[in-house]
Amino acid sequence: MTAPRTLYDKIWDDHVVHRAEDGTCLLYIDRHLVHEVTSPQAFEGLRMTGRTVRAPEKTIAVPDHNVPTTLDRANAATMTEDSRIQVAALDKNAKDFGINYYPVSDVRQGIVHIVGPEQGWTLPGMTVVCGDSHTATHGAFGSLAHGIGTSEVEHVLATQTLIQRKGKNMKVEITGSLMPGVTAKDITLSVIGATGTAGGTGYVIEYCGQAIRELSMEGRMTVCNMAIEGGARAGLIAPDEKTFAYCMGRPHAPKGAKWEAAVAYWKTLFSDDGAHWDKVVTLRGEDIAPVVTWGTSPEDVLSITGTVPAASDFTGGKVEAAQRSLDYMGLTPGMNLTDIKIDTVFIGSCTNGRIEDLRAAAAILKGKKKKDGIRAMVVPGSGLVRAQAEEEGLAQIFIDAGFEWRLAGCSMCLAMNPDQLAPGERCAATSNRNFEGRQGRGGRTHLMSPAMAAAAALTGHLTDVRELMTEAV
Amino acid sequence: MDKFTTLTGIAAPMPLVNIDTDMIIPKQFLKTIQRSGLGKNLFDEMRFTQDGQEIPDFVLNQPAYRQSEIIIAGDNFGCGSSREHAPWALLDFGIRCVIATSFADIFYNNCFKNGILPIVMPQDVVDVLMADARKGANARVTIDLEAQTVTTSDGQSFGFDVDSHRKHCLLNGLDDIGLTLEKAAAIDSYEATAATLRPWA
């Protein structure tokens, strides 16, 4: 009888290739996702040392950060020279090293963290890495997934392993059910609001509880996606029937006898009763409100019914940081969050660019028009999400509401492509970071759920989506 | 990777919490396909106006701190994006050591891969180091990795913790990939076993 283990312990144990005396482990990596921005130097490193990609069949590449999302992007002139060079480098590296590749022209192209699960590359119990901090997304499947730097990308390409020390176990339980108008995004932001952006540093988080179980796979991906914003490298959710149903039939999911064997194994992937937790955080699902961020850190989270805080409401180093945020965001302490006028709405990103997110936004927008003067865009997370949204009639709802209906990519989440905020431009965004300059130099970002962003598009200011839902009843 | 043994240099005080990697190197500079040349854009939006003029108040623009090799900062340094361009930019500028009360995990790890030593110190020690750094260019801090000590300009010395494997690699300038490839037989053996236990992976 082995000691009770957490889900993280189990996945870790099953991937240890070698354990050194000091506890440093060599961990096997099942899936390596690659994009154009953090990989060129890694491939160059392989060439310089005459090394190869050890497991090209477990390596999947897709350009997403740089690519334009306008409908004319097939025209190379829409990309800047340096972006074009970076995407061309990925084209060449994928070909030269024989790795799986979804080029810009492929309908399956999209944000790497949306494409992985969609194509069945991400499966329960796997280790998944990518040179991108939002790799935590894949933890929604009960896979141990985290971001790595470019040196580690090169290490994984060459060896299919990573040198790691085990993190600590943290349990985040969301009890009960969510109230109407509250979504996965509100859960994940509320957790960060409660623990702070460094609260998870050194931990792997397992999200559990009734409210998590009740989420769809899309919602679970949203929750895990922002584990990194709480400082945790990885977030995990134990796989269940919803997970298996999502995976079944995906292009790279197992079939037949292998599927049966896989499901039998996946059913062992849960935290045992009596397993040790280094930290436990519990929130009541009923207490979670639709939230927005007011500042320049994802921990600056408040219920939409709240008011802008003053720097003096904080302590320690956060006093200065809060004042800096207020100045940057151009906000006055004490003002109602719902009085904050916005210029732009961005719906998309690896946090909220999946079909369920588009459905939630479209439900609020249906038959209505955005406020005059607001710039609004929807950027689906992948070409397949886009196609599905068109089939379901969601695209037409967005177009009728005055939104731009874009092609797939990271877009304005990090503004590496032409989709950027101008200085002072204020954006209701469904993305994951409200850092200074994140969406464009001087741009002001308020993070929220897709439904809340849609509500803001209709009124022109931050809005409690529940009020619009009441109107609809 | 360059070795890190001892360093005596100017420390720049940056008493901010949550200095994220977007601040350290904004996204417009991530389009390079090289590791070098990012130092001129380190902290770009804090250091320069939109039309490229230096912002005189920013610490690394002040005459005393232009040659800084060490940064002293608040909680959660390096949070956000995993971009290794952040340590590349620090290194290219000449920063070899960052001392803070805490670091974001991915950034912390990325530093060691590039010959930069990130040091975690408790708040009271960071307060002492911050005050020392504020004295300017004549107040040089000394870091001794072998001895695991930081010594202020007036001789106060503080010990710090560092993972033994990472310390070994930094002291000797070792390449992780080379070390791991020496364990190729263990990787082969793991793959053979895993192919039986989890053939779908």
Side-chain angles (χ1 to χ4, degrees):
Chain A
M1 195 64 192
T2 53
R5 293 182 297 166
T6 64
L7 171 57
Y8 171 45
D9 297 338
K10 290 179 182 180
I11 302 173
W12 178 275
D13 290 347
D14 279 352
H15 289 85
V16 174
V17 172
H18 178 267
R19 191 188 311 266
E21 275 178 26
D22 70 352
T24 305
C25 288
L26 199 58
L27 206 66
Y28 195 79
I29 301 304
D30 294 317
R31 293 287 181 268
H32 186 190
L33 307 174
V34 174
H35 65 77
E36 79 277 22
V37 177
T38 58
S39 67
Q41 294 86 351
F43 285 110
E44 193 53 28
L46 292 185
R47 286 197 181 89
M48 281 162 55
T49 49
R51 290 168 179 153
T52 58
V53 176
R54 181 179 172 100
E57 73 284 4
K58 297 176 181 180
T59 311
I60 301 98
V62 58
D64 56 4
H65 282 58
N66 263 314
V67 296
T69 58
T70 44
L71 301 184
D72 60 351
R73 78 173 173 199
N75 173 3
T78 57
M79 249 198 275
T80 59
E81 182 64 14
D82 45 7
S83 291
R84 195 161 43 239
I85 288 170
Q86 223 170 33
V87 173
L90 188 64
D91 287 342
K92 177 170 166 48
N93 289 329
K95 186 162 172 279
D96 287 359
F97 291 94
I99 62 184
N100 299 288
Y101 191 46
Y102 303 98
V104 177
S105 57
D106 192 311
V107 70
R108 297 166 297 178
Q109 178 270 344
I111 306 173
V112 64
H113 306 307
I114 292 186
V115 172
E118 204 168 65
Q119 293 300 318
W121 291 111
T122 307
L123 296 169
M126 284 183 163
T127 47
V128 181
V129 296
C130 175
D132 191 283
S133 60
H134 292 109
T135 310
T137 311
H138 307 265
F141 291 80
S143 57
L144 179 59
H146 59 81
I148 55 178
T150 299
S151 294
E152 289 182 316
V153 169
E154 187 177 339
H155 192 280
V156 177
L157 289 172
T159 71
Q160 206 59 27
T161 65
L162 265 186
I163 299 169
Q164 292 271 287
R165 286 185 83 94
K166 191 156 178 238
K168 290 179 284 187
N169 278 289
M170 177 167 169
K171 175 160 88 168
V172 173
E173 184 174 10
I174 314 295
T175 63
S177 294
L178 299 179
M179 304 297 279
V182 181
T183 69
K185 184 65 165 289
D186 301 299
I187 292 181
T188 202
L189 282 171
S190 296
V191 170
I192 298 162
T195 59
T197 48
T201 303
Y203 293 92
V204 165
I205 296 177
E206 181 176 339
Y207 300 94
C208 62
Q210 184 183 333
I212 298 292
R213 295 259 74 86
E214 288 175 359
L215 292 175
S216 65
M217 287 313 296
E218 285 84 356
R220 294 178 189 184
M221 284 188 254
T222 300
V223 170
C224 290
N225 172 275
M226 289 190 71
I228 184 67
E229 260 56 69
R233 258 199 171 197
L236 285 170
I237 294 173
D240 60 10
E241 294 299 331
K242 280 185 193 171
T243 322
F244 310 150
Y246 180 99
C247 294
M248 193 163 76
R250 302 258 163 200
H252 296 279
K255 315 262 181 311
K258 276 188 186 172
W259 170 262
E260 298 302 327
V263 171
Y265 172 72
W266 295 344
K267 285 183 174 173
T268 69
L269 298 174
F270 55 86
S271 290
D272 298 327
D273 289 340
H276 174 74
W277 299 99
D278 300 288
K279 190 170 177 177
V280 176
V281 172
T282 306
L283 298 185
R284 279 164 39 98
E286 293 83 355
D287 291 346
I288 298 175
V291 292
V292 295
T293 61
W294 58 268
T296 56
S297 168
E299 71 192 8
D300 299 337
V301 176
L302 285 173
S303 161
I304 184 63
T305 57
T307 55
V308 173
S312 58
D313 295 342
F314 298 91
T315 55
K318 191 68 188 171
V319 177
E320 196 171 337
Q323 188 56 54
R324 189 181 167 94
S325 287
L326 289 169
D327 294 344
Y328 181 86
M329 295 296 288
L331 296 176
T332 312
M335 73 186 288
N336 292 323
L337 291 170
T338 49
D339 288 337
I340 297 173
K341 289 193 165 56
I342 53 141
D343 306 301
T344 301
V345 174
F346 168 62
I347 296 175
S349 86
C350 59
T351 313
N352 283 126
R354 284 169 286 270
I355 190 68
E356 180 182 276
D357 302 312
L358 304 194
R359 287 179 190 143
I364 301 299
L365 295 170
K366 190 169 186 179
K368 297 180 179 157
K369 288 226 176 291
K370 72 175 169 70
K371 178 92 171 171
D372 280 348
I374 299 277
R375 169 159 81 123
M377 64 165 93
V378 181
V379 184
S382 73
L384 293 181
V385 169
R386 181 180 152 91
Q388 188 177 350
E390 287 178 345
E391 204 175 291
E392 293 184 14
L394 308 180
Q396 199 56 50
I397 293 174
F398 290 122
I399 292 165
D400 291 347
F403 278 66
E404 291 180 60
W405 177 242
R406 295 293 191 90
L407 298 173
C410 299
S411 181
M412 199 187 266
C413 173
L414 87 165
M416 273 193 80
N417 78 348
D419 307 334
Q420 300 180 6
L421 295 181
E425 188 175 351
R426 191 180 296 279
C427 181
T430 67
S431 47
N432 41 57
R433 287 191 178 130
N434 50 355
F435 296 159
E436 287 178 22
R438 171 77 178 181
Q439 295 193 283
R441 185 175 180 134
R444 294 164 171 169
T445 304
H446 295 278
L447 303 176
M448 63 196 74
S449 73
M452 288 281 286
L458 295 178
T459 63
H461 55 83
L462 301 187
T463 298
D464 189 338
V465 68
R466 293 171 298 191
E467 289 172 14
L468 301 187
M469 293 167 69
T470 315
E471 274 175 27
V473 170
Chain B
M1 182 175 90
D2 287 342
K3 291 179 186 179
F4 188 111
T5 51
T6 61
L7 169 68
T8 298
I10 299 165
M14 293 190 74
L16 275 178
V17 298
N18 296 330
I19 292 178
D20 59 68
T21 54
D22 276 80
M23 280 182 184
I24 297 171
I25 186 79
K27 69 261 167 200
Q28 61 268 34
F29 307 111
L30 308 188
K31 296 185 180 185
T32 175
I33 55 171
Q34 298 177 328
R35 284 178 161 91
S36 56
L38 290 165
K40 62 182 186 296
N41 304 112
L42 176 70
F43 292 114
D44 192 82
E45 291 179 6
M46 300 166 86
R47 205 167 135 207
F48 302 107
T49 61
Q50 192 131 25
D51 56 8
Q53 301 300 307
E54 281 193 5
I55 298 170
D57 285 350
F58 183 67
V59 62
L60 297 179
N61 287 335
Q62 295 169 22
Y65 298 107
R66 299 182 86 93
Q67 306 298 321
S68 294
E69 292 175 272
I70 300 156
I71 288 174
I72 317 285
D75 278 344
N76 205 24
F77 191 94
C79 60
S81 161
S82 62
R83 58 188 68 166
E84 198 162 318
H85 309 68
W88 295 339
L90 287 165
L91 187 67
D92 195 58
F93 180 89
I95 303 293
R96 292 296 308 276
C97 175
V98 183
I99 303 175
T101 41
S102 64
F103 289 89
D105 191 41
I106 301 175
F107 174 83
Y108 184 78
N109 203 40
N110 283 341
C111 282
F112 286 100
K113 311 287 183 192
N114 291 284
I116 297 174
L117 175 62
I119 299 177
V120 179
M121 284 290 196
Q123 187 68 55
D124 56 337
V125 175
V126 168
D127 290 345
V128 171
L129 296 172
M130 195 74 77
D132 193 48
R134 285 190 166 117
K135 292 177 189 164
N138 292 325
R140 293 183 181 238
V141 178
T142 297
I143 290 126
D144 184 334
L145 177 57
E146 181 62 54
Q148 295 181 215
T149 56
V150 176
T151 307
T152 63
S153 60
D154 55 7
Q156 287 188 78
S157 198
F158 304 96
F160 63 87
D161 288 331
V162 60
D163 175 87
S164 54
H165 172 76
R166 286 167 163 157
K167 177 180 175 179
H168 175 72
C169 289
L170 264 190
L171 283 172
N172 298 290
L174 294 178
D175 163 19
D176 273 343
I177 298 177
L179 292 176
T180 297
L181 287 173
E182 290 171 10
K183 300 194 181 82
I187 303 172
D188 290 342
S189 151
Y190 176 90
E191 282 182 336
T193 310
T196 319
L197 294 176
R198 294 185 298 282
W200 60 87

